[in-house]
Amino acid sequence: MGRWVPDRPEDVATIFAEADFPWWIAGGYAIELAVGHELRAHGDLDVLVLRRDQGLVRDLLADWDLYVADPPGQGELRPWRPGEVLQPPLHDIWCRHTPKAPWSVQLMLDEAEGTQWVSRRNPAIRLPIDRLGRTSKTGIPYLVPEVQLFYKAKATRNKDEADFEAVLPLLDAPARAWLAGAINVIVPDHPWLRRLLPVG
């Protein structure tokens, strides 16, 4: 499937500077943007966009080499053809600057209904789109930590535990409550719940 040399968030911000749709740095880089410093090395760089904006994203990256994971999570990639509208469950797009370049950006498509972001994992989990992201001190939009941690909770790895520990002190009570409720829907026995919910 080829090697990864991920772009940096600032590189993506330059590429997406002309975007007239919302987008957010996601994954481990989003946690770093929240805490304000680097935590670890990264094997890829995730960018979240809404599925309804996929045509705009495809146009913005028209000169790139774009492949969709089909089916998701199975390690199989196929070209994302110009004009093709990706339907659920397809949501994972690998991007590289040219066919001979390493992969550098992983686009993730998420659902929306009106002004609400809707989790692709469970439509009961929602958040107003205007609360889905923040902007770093350097002007880079990133996914709020509670939503990023929700995605990391399904199959937690060591790096996800490290991200949780790093950003937990920054989560206020509403963020902790939302994250606990969201995790409880998908992994009701997750150990993070004991850290998020008040005792008593």
Side-chain angles (χ1 to χ4, degrees), residues 13-122:
T14 299
I15 294 163
F16 280 72
E18 302 303 317
D20 56 356
F21 55 85
W23 62 275
W24 304 270
I25 295 292
Y29 276 114
I31 300 297
E32 290 187 349
L33 289 169
V35 300
H37 58 84
E38 292 188 8
L39 296 171
R40 54 181 170 80
H42 298 272
D44 60 6
L45 182 146
D46 300 327
V47 176
L48 181 71
V49 296
L50 300 178
R51 184 178 300 277
R52 65 190 183 194
D53 295 324
Q54 64 176 287
L56 299 174
V57 180
R58 187 70 180 76
D59 291 344
L60 182 69
L61 302 179
D63 295 334
W64 286 51
D65 195 39
L66 307 176
Y67 280 70
V68 60
D70 186 3
Q74 301 300 310
E76 297 180 17
L77 298 173
R78 64 165 178 82
W80 183 17
R81 298 179 298 274
E84 178 186 7
V85 178
L86 301 177
Q87 301 291 346
L90 303 180
H91 67 270
D92 183 5
I93 302 154
W94 291 33
C95 314
R96 54 190 175 188
H97 294 271
T98 69
K100 294 185 178 181
W103 301 109
S104 56
V105 174
Q106 190 166 7
L107 280 177
M108 311 301 291
L109 302 181
D110 243 348
E111 312 307 321
E113 292 180 8
T115 60
Q116 294 278 314
W117 163 79
V118 181
S119 168
R120 65 177 178 268
R121 292 185 178 164
N122 189 310

